[in-house]
PDB file of all heavy atoms in Angstrom:
ATOM      1  N   GLN A1023      29.582  -2.551-131.248  1.00  0.00           N
ATOM      2  CA  GLN A1023      30.079  -3.073-129.969  1.00  0.00           C
ATOM      3  C   GLN A1023      29.805  -4.566-129.773  1.00  0.00           C
ATOM      4  O   GLN A1023      30.580  -5.252-129.103  1.00  0.00           O
ATOM      5  CB  GLN A1023      29.455  -2.293-128.801  1.00  0.00           C
ATOM      6  CG  GLN A1023      29.826  -0.831-128.753  1.00  0.00           C
ATOM      7  CD  GLN A1023      31.308  -0.614-128.589  1.00  0.00           C
ATOM      8  OE1 GLN A1023      31.952  -1.246-127.764  1.00  0.00           O
ATOM      9  NE2 GLN A1023      31.862   0.267-129.388  1.00  0.00           N
ATOM     10  N   LEU A1024      28.720  -5.074-130.320  1.00  0.00           N
ATOM     11  CA  LEU A1024      28.340  -6.470-130.077  1.00  0.00           C
ATOM     12  C   LEU A1024      29.424  -7.483-130.451  1.00  0.00           C
ATOM     13  O   LEU A1024      29.724  -8.381-129.647  1.00  0.00           O
ATOM     14  CB  LEU A1024      27.034  -6.792-130.806  1.00  0.00           C
ATOM     15  CG  LEU A1024      25.777  -6.646-129.960  1.00  0.00           C
ATOM     16  CD1 LEU A1024      24.524  -6.746-130.819  1.00  0.00           C
ATOM     17  CD2 LEU A1024      25.733  -7.652-128.843  1.00  0.00           C
ATOM     18  N   PRO A1025      30.042  -7.396-131.619  1.00  0.00           N
ATOM     19  CA  PRO A1025      31.094  -8.382-131.930  1.00  0.00           C
ATOM     20  C   PRO A1025      32.264  -8.328-130.940  1.00  0.00           C
ATOM     21  O   PRO A1025      32.829  -9.368-130.590  1.00  0.00           O
ATOM     22  CB  PRO A1025      31.558  -7.993-133.334  1.00  0.00           C
ATOM     23  CG  PRO A1025      30.441  -7.195-133.911  1.00  0.00           C
ATOM     24  CD  PRO A1025      29.771  -6.524-132.759  1.00  0.00           C
ATOM     25  N   THR A1026      32.604  -7.136-130.474  1.00  0.00           N
ATOM     26  CA  THR A1026      33.688  -6.995-129.504  1.00  0.00           C
ATOM     27  C   THR A1026      33.323  -7.668-128.187  1.00  0.00           C
ATOM     28  O   THR A1026      34.151  -8.362-127.585  1.00  0.00           O
ATOM     29  CB  THR A1026      34.003  -5.501-129.269  1.00  0.00           C
ATOM     30  OG1 THR A1026      34.271  -4.891-130.526  1.00  0.00           O
ATOM     31  CG2 THR A1026      35.173  -5.319-128.344  1.00  0.00           C
ATOM     32  N   LEU A1027      32.097  -7.472-127.740  1.00  0.00           N
ATOM     33  CA  LEU A1027      31.652  -8.107-126.496  1.00  0.00           C
ATOM     34  C   LEU A1027      31.704  -9.628-126.626  1.00  0.00           C
ATOM     35  O   LEU A1027      32.177 -10.323-125.714  1.00  0.00           O
ATOM     36  CB  LEU A1027      30.232  -7.660-126.150  1.00  0.00           C
ATOM     37  CG  LEU A1027      30.047  -6.191-125.792  1.00  0.00           C
ATOM     38  CD1 LEU A1027      28.568  -5.857-125.645  1.00  0.00           C
ATOM     39  CD2 LEU A1027      30.792  -5.843-124.525  1.00  0.00           C
ATOM     40  N   ARG A1028      31.225 -10.141-127.745  1.00  0.00           N
ATOM     41  CA  ARG A1028      31.247 -11.597-127.953  1.00  0.00           C
ATOM     42  C   ARG A1028      32.677 -12.132-127.993  1.00  0.00           C
ATOM     43  O   ARG A1028      32.967 -13.213-127.462  1.00  0.00           O
ATOM     44  CB  ARG A1028      30.501 -11.941-129.236  1.00  0.00           C
ATOM     45  CG  ARG A1028      29.005 -11.707-129.112  1.00  0.00           C
ATOM     46  CD  ARG A1028      28.268 -12.097-130.376  1.00  0.00           C
ATOM     47  NE  ARG A1028      26.851 -11.849-130.225  1.00  0.00           N
ATOM     48  CZ  ARG A1028      26.139 -11.080-131.040  1.00  0.00           C
ATOM     49  NH1 ARG A1028      26.699 -10.510-132.087  1.00  0.00           N
ATOM     50  NH2 ARG A1028      24.845 -10.895-130.831  1.00  0.00           N
ATOM     51  N   PHE A1029      33.567 -11.378-128.610  1.00  0.00           N
ATOM     52  CA  PHE A1029      34.973 -11.773-128.672  1.00  0.00           C
ATOM     53  C   PHE A1029      35.580 -11.844-127.270  1.00  0.00           C
ATOM     54  O   PHE A1029      36.317 -12.776-126.942  1.00  0.00           O
ATOM     55  CB  PHE A1029      35.760 -10.791-129.546  1.00  0.00           C
ATOM     56  CG  PHE A1029      37.248 -10.986-129.482  1.00  0.00           C
ATOM     57  CD1 PHE A1029      37.856 -12.053-130.132  1.00  0.00           C
ATOM     58  CD2 PHE A1029      38.053 -10.116-128.750  1.00  0.00           C
ATOM     59  CE1 PHE A1029      39.232 -12.238-130.069  1.00  0.00           C
ATOM     60  CE2 PHE A1029      39.420 -10.296-128.682  1.00  0.00           C
ATOM     61  CZ  PHE A1029      40.013 -11.357-129.337  1.00  0.00           C
ATOM     62  N   HIS A1030      35.243 -10.871-126.419  1.00  0.00           N
ATOM     63  CA  HIS A1030      35.784 -10.859-125.059  1.00  0.00           C
ATOM     64  C   HIS A1030      35.271 -12.033-124.235  1.00  0.00           C
ATOM     65  O   HIS A1030      36.022 -12.606-123.438  1.00  0.00           O
ATOM     66  CB  HIS A1030      35.470  -9.544-124.364  1.00  0.00           C
ATOM     67  CG  HIS A1030      36.235  -8.394-124.930  1.00  0.00           C
ATOM     68  ND1 HIS A1030      35.858  -7.094-124.749  1.00  0.00           N
ATOM     69  CD2 HIS A1030      37.351  -8.341-125.681  1.00  0.00           C
ATOM     70  CE1 HIS A1030      36.710  -6.296-125.363  1.00  0.00           C
ATOM     71  NE2 HIS A1030      37.617  -7.036-125.939  1.00  0.00           N
ATOM     72  N   VAL A1031      34.016 -12.404-124.420  1.00  0.00           N
ATOM     73  CA  VAL A1031      33.479 -13.568-123.705  1.00  0.00           C
ATOM     74  C   VAL A1031      34.202 -14.834-124.165  1.00  0.00           C
ATOM     75  O   VAL A1031      34.583 -15.677-123.342  1.00  0.00           O
ATOM     76  CB  VAL A1031      31.951 -13.681-123.912  1.00  0.00           C
ATOM     77  CG1 VAL A1031      31.424 -15.019-123.408  1.00  0.00           C
ATOM     78  CG2 VAL A1031      31.239 -12.538-123.198  1.00  0.00           C
ATOM     79  N   ALA A1032      34.432 -14.968-125.469  1.00  0.00           N
ATOM     80  CA  ALA A1032      35.163 -16.132-125.985  1.00  0.00           C
ATOM     81  C   ALA A1032      36.598 -16.147-125.465  1.00  0.00           C
ATOM     82  O   ALA A1032      37.131 -17.203-125.096  1.00  0.00           O
ATOM     83  CB  ALA A1032      35.146 -16.119-127.511  1.00  0.00           C
TER      84      ALA A1032
END
Side-chain angles (χ1 to χ4, degrees):
Q1023 296 299 314
L1024 265 170
T1026 305
L1027 294 173
R1028 291 182 181 124
F1029 170 75
H1030 290 161
V1031 169

